[in-house]
Amino acid sequence: MNLWYRAEMSAKIVPPTSENLQTACSILAAGGLVAMPTETVYGLCADAANPIAIARIYDVKGRPDFNPLIAHIAGLEMAERQGHFSADAKALAGAIWPGPLSMVVNIRDTTSIASIARAGLDSVALREPSHPVARSLISTFGVPLVAPSANLSGRISPTRAQHVFDDLGDRIDLIIDGGACQSGLESTIIDARDAHPALLRLGPIAAPEIDALWPGLKQADLSAEKPVSPGQLLRHYAPNARLRINAITALPDEGYLGFGPVESDLNLSPASDLIEAAANLFDMLRQLDAQYTQIAVAPIPSGGVGDTINERLARAAERA
Ligand code: AMP
Ligand code: MG
């Protein structure tokens, strides 16, 4: 079996020194799993060309196997070795990458990305993260890394190294600590295969920003889309606690997650800043989840990143 699979031992949390990044690359090259910080959430990396390592990702996350992974690359050139980019897709990638936008493109015949990472599709989702640690890990490794969120499938995404340890510490090989994730929400995903892009998942890059660079952005017809993305599964990003959204006040026994100048157990942004709220969302949900069986969340204004926060909260509030 796999050399690096050490179920009885806990993964170390290490700082992103160049020595530790080298160690991470050796682990990845041997088929191991390494968690890395990105500007969205922490990702659980494996060599995108190694089907056994990727099978382990599905296994440790408990992720449904119909669910393809995003391959993380360093630079458009690396992306173009894997997939076909139209002139429009290329211009969009050139304008937004590195950043929190994943683009689904058709694979090249010569792609090195394993079929299991693509759930057997002839397309692949690619993203160039902007986090300096993610960038140096991918560049040092030299070939794409798949990196779904480093948490148990369906649960709250990790935005701190400790979150990764809490969920997966005993099942993975190394955790690189890059501090708190800046954006705190999973990447926006678009389908970039056609003449006009289609929005597959809301995220930090808002629709108008994409539309301004590549006009004609449409909402994907997800009823017809296979595979279903986790963002499309009704209950997702979920705490153990029962979650009540748009709550003006908390009921007795509820932990209250506030927004704006309100009294609360934890506050996403006392100054009503949506960007700050997004960055705090998953960490504060995890903190309250550890203390309460019921969590009430204050109303979050719509518009921009507020729409993405509300979408994540609505899914987290769904009962299984
Ligand atoms: P994550 O859970 O953040 O790793 O996001 C993976 C998401 O990307 C899933 O929702 C997938 O459905 C979506 N995705 C990845 N590859 C493809 C693809 N080839 N076609 C459509 N969606 C994809
Ligand atoms: Mg996820």
Side-chain angles (χ1 to χ4, degrees), residues 61 63 67-70 104-105 117-118 121 123-125 147-149 186-187 189 193 200-201 225-232 236:
K61 279 181 60 75
R63 184 174 171 114
N67 206 331
L69 305 175
I70 296 169
V104 173
V105 294
R118 296 179 270 113
L121 299 169
S123 59
V124 64
S149 53
E186 300 85 352
S187 62
I189 306 179
R193 288 174 295 178
L200 294 173
R201 179 170 76 187
E225 187 80 8
K226 279 264 179 196
V228 183
S229 79
Q232 269 40 74
H236 195 59

Side-chain angles (χ1 to χ4, degrees), residues 78-292:
M78 198 191 277
E80 285 196 278
R81 255 176 253 140
Q82 304 298 334
H84 294 283
F85 284 72
S86 66
D88 285 324
K90 217 167 138 167
L92 182 68
I96 293 192
W97 284 356
L101 177 72
S102 299
M103 298 176 66
V104 173
V105 294
N106 286 319
I107 51 166
R108 286 189 188 280
D109 294 341
T110 52
T111 184
S112 62
I113 295 169
S115 172
I116 181 177
R118 296 179 270 113
L121 299 169
D122 56 10
S123 59
V124 64
L126 296 166
R127 176 167 105 80
E128 180 181 9
S130 65
H131 195 293
V133 175
R135 290 168 67 72
S136 27
L137 184 63
I138 302 163
S139 316
T140 310
F141 196 60
V143 286
L145 293 172
V146 291
S149 53
N151 59 311
L152 293 169
S153 191
R155 303 295 311 286
I156 305 170
S157 289
T159 55
R160 311 276 191 279
Q162 186 62 41
H163 298 165
V164 180
F165 187 87
D166 293 345
D167 267 22
L168 301 175
D170 57 351
R171 304 180 197 193
I172 65 176
D173 302 302
L174 190 70
I175 301 168
I176 302 171
D177 190 350
C181 298
Q182 193 194 345
S183 152
L185 295 170
E186 300 85 352
S187 62
T188 304
I189 306 179
I190 61 158
D191 186 339
R193 288 174 295 178
D194 294 332
H196 297 288
L199 190 61
L200 294 173
R201 179 170 76 187
L202 291 176
I205 303 288
E209 200 177 329
I210 297 167
D211 206 56
L213 293 158
W214 184 359
L217 180 69
K218 50 191 187 206
Q219 185 65 50
D221 176 10
L222 293 160
S223 57
E225 187 80 8
K226 279 264 179 196
V228 183
S229 79
Q232 269 40 74
L233 297 175
L234 208 47
R235 182 173 161 80
H236 195 59
Y237 316 106
N240 290 316
R242 183 175 281 270
L243 197 70
R244 200 164 61 83
I245 53 181
N246 294 318
I248 306 289
T249 54
L251 303 171
D253 298 337
E254 275 183 336
Y256 191 49
L257 183 55
F259 177 85
V262 292
E263 211 174 288
S264 54
D265 294 291
L266 289 174
N267 198 311
L268 289 169
S269 173
S272 305
D273 177 344
L274 285 168
I275 303 288
E276 182 186 27
N280 283 331
L281 179 66
F282 292 140
D283 178 56
M284 290 186 173
L285 277 178
R286 276 176 181 262
Q287 287 189 48
L288 292 176
D289 201 23
Q291 296 172 52
Y292 294 93

